[in-house]
Amino acid sequence: MNAGTAAYFLGEGITRDHPLTAAQRLRVYELYFTCLRGSHVGQALDLHGLAHMVPACLESGDLAPVWEALLCCHRLKSGLPASVCARTGAVLGGATPAQEAALGDYFLALGLAFQLLDDVINLQGFGKSLKTKAEDLIEGKVTAPVIRALMALGAAGDAERQRWLWGQFGVPDSEREVGAMVDLRAAVKRRCSHLQL
């Protein structure tokens, strides 16, 4: 924990290792602390999870709020650090504010895309030891594929399979039918390809 906490202060070295104007130094500090605050909030949201939102969303038939909450979490946790790194590079390179913003927005989108792809890759596993197949489902975590599958089942009028899928999150981990959950996601994707899963 101490090593992780000490790493927070390594970025400050940028301001000493490069000849910066006072305005550049201030901007780097602003970006750096924005990143620390935002990424910690994103990680806290990720640890808290989204399961508490799903029942009300299913009841209303509108899963958009839980989807937007997931995107917010991913933007803060993964998009913001990527954006801040790009923006800091822009500041160090003497970019205009508009150039800095454009680069930051682009890397924010890349960070978000990375995290969404990570959610999808998790269903299949990755490498021999990097990710266990369906690790998020095993742990009962509500991720992008789960939300999109719930949305697609709702849009297709398949309330029975939607209830079954969500019901899997209420059973003990050892009893959860993870393989069937992964297979359902694939079946929903084939049947509802027009829904941009």
Side-chain angles (χ1 to χ4, degrees):
M1 295 239 341
N2 284 339
T5 302
Y8 292 150
F9 303 98
L10 295 177
E12 187 268 338
I14 293 171
T15 65
R16 287 181 278 113
D17 296 342
H18 297 276
L20 302 177
T21 66
Q24 286 175 316
R25 183 170 279 108
L26 176 60
R27 184 64 184 141
V28 169
Y29 279 147
E30 288 171 346
L31 289 167
Y32 188 66
F33 288 108
T34 294
C35 181
L36 288 180
R37 285 189 301 271
S39 59
H40 276 74
V41 169
Q43 187 62 35
L45 291 171
D46 189 47
L47 290 172
H48 182 60
L50 300 169
H52 66 284
M53 294 181 69
V54 176
C57 289
L58 288 173
E59 182 70 27
S60 71
D62 182 10
L63 284 145
V66 73
W67 177 251
E68 290 302 320
L70 175 90
L71 295 180
C72 177
C73 173
H74 284 356
R75 280 187 191 103
L76 288 170
K77 181 178 146 181
S78 300
L80 183 62
S83 175
V84 165
C85 287
R87 284 176 176 265
T88 300
V91 170
L92 296 176
T96 67
Q99 290 169 328
E100 177 200 320
L103 198 58
D105 289 348
Y106 178 72
F107 275 83
L108 180 70
L110 284 179
L112 174 60
F114 163 81
Q115 195 60 57
L116 290 170
L117 186 58
D118 185 68
D119 282 1
V120 173
I121 289 172
N122 187 280
L123 294 175
Q124 306 305 320
F126 187 76
K128 293 190 185 232
S129 61
L130 295 177
K131 289 221 182 250
T132 301
K133 182 176 180 175
E135 182 178 288
D136 289 338
L137 293 178
I138 292 167
E139 294 174 3
K141 187 173 178 182
V142 176
T143 60
V146 171
I147 298 168
R148 294 311 254 184
L150 289 169
M151 292 172 93
L153 289 167
D158 195 341
E160 182 180 342
R161 288 206 294 177
Q162 190 185 54
R163 278 193 302 274
W164 176 84
L165 177 58
W166 179 241
Q168 288 298 304
F169 288 86
V171 301
D173 294 356
S174 61
E175 297 174 24
R176 193 168 296 128
E177 297 177 55
V178 173
M181 292 169 78
V182 172
D183 291 344
L184 174 63
R185 164 77 173 120
V188 168
K189 184 173 181 180
R190 282 192 304 273
R191 202 171 103 191
C192 305
S193 59
H194 63 288
L195 296 174
Q196 296 183 337
L197 301 174

